[in-house]
Amino acid sequence: MTTHPGAARTPRQDRSRATRARLLAAAVDCLAELGWNGSTVAVVAERAGVSRGAAQHHFPTREDLFTAAVEHVTAERLAAVRAHADALPAAGPARTEAVVDMIVRLYTGPLFRAALHLWVAAATEEPLRERIVGLEGHVGREAHRAAVEFLGADETHPGVRETVQATLDMARGLGLANLLTDDSARRSGVIRQWAGLLESTLRPVGP
């Protein structure tokens, strides 16, 4: 019996995609737990349950592996944020606070910790720096676009664009504060207060 070539390739393609996904997930976990110096290709491959050769087949260099990992997981997180947009409250203070909380969640947890290790390494490693600058620029633009969309913000009004950007900057700062200790209790109060300031900028009360 003759087998169509495409039928034989499909299982291999599925295995290849599965291997790539395991490597990306393992790379993010390693960065978050071990930092840049401890996260070698060999360590990631072992955690992913694949050979080092298989890892290098998918990602020829260490920089390829880790920038792809952070980019992949960040894209998934942004997609998840958009998927939950329908559950947000109607326009008003409650929605603004929910959006601020959503943005802050993008910058806390293992993904942010992994990305931070890449930022630190990129400060001294030139081949990595160019990749990370480009990646963070993309992430920042996408996060800003999502924030504007979910907030219903009109950036033609004075101060609105700057305040939305300040929301993203604040979220990064809260992410940094959460790296060493659980900052969730203080963070909740900051989110409420900032959401009130943001709401007053988005929809100022007339004289």
Side-chain angles (χ1 to χ4, degrees), residues 37-207:
N37 289 334
S39 299
T40 64
V41 174
V43 168
V44 172
E46 181 179 2
R47 179 170 295 204
V50 304
S51 69
R52 181 171 178 172
Q56 290 179 320
H57 170 73
H58 286 276
F59 304 101
T61 69
R62 188 184 185 199
E63 291 79 11
D64 290 335
L65 172 59
F66 288 105
T67 53
V70 173
E71 183 175 19
H72 171 74
V73 179
T74 299
E76 286 195 334
R77 292 290 299 278
L78 287 169
V81 165
R82 289 190 172 279
H84 289 88
D86 290 342
L88 289 169
R95 183 183 181 93
T96 299
E97 183 173 337
V99 172
V100 173
D101 183 68
M102 182 182 291
I103 293 169
V104 168
R105 289 177 187 275
L106 278 176
Y107 291 98
T108 55
L111 175 60
F112 180 79
R113 188 183 298 270
L116 183 61
H117 283 299
L118 277 185
W119 296 351
V120 173
T124 56
E125 299 202 17
E126 188 62 38
L128 187 61
R129 185 185 310 171
E130 185 175 346
R131 292 168 180 253
I132 297 306
V133 168
L135 172 60
E136 288 304 314
H138 171 72
V139 171
R141 288 189 297 273
E142 288 301 310
H144 187 101
R145 186 177 294 113
V148 169
E149 178 185 336
F150 298 156
L151 290 166
D154 184 350
E155 292 191 300
T156 64
H157 290 175
V160 169
R161 179 174 178 78
E162 292 78 7
T163 308
V164 171
Q165 186 58 52
T167 303
L168 298 173
D169 293 339
M170 179 204 66
R172 292 189 190 94
L174 291 175
L176 286 171
N178 194 56
L179 286 174
L180 296 179
T181 59
D182 182 358
D183 200 44
S184 54
R186 185 184 72 87
R187 189 164 67 240
S188 297
V190 172
I191 289 171
R192 283 194 299 273
Q193 179 66 20
W194 184 262
L197 295 172
L198 178 57
E199 176 69 13
S200 67
T201 301
L202 295 174
R203 283 168 279 276
V205 177

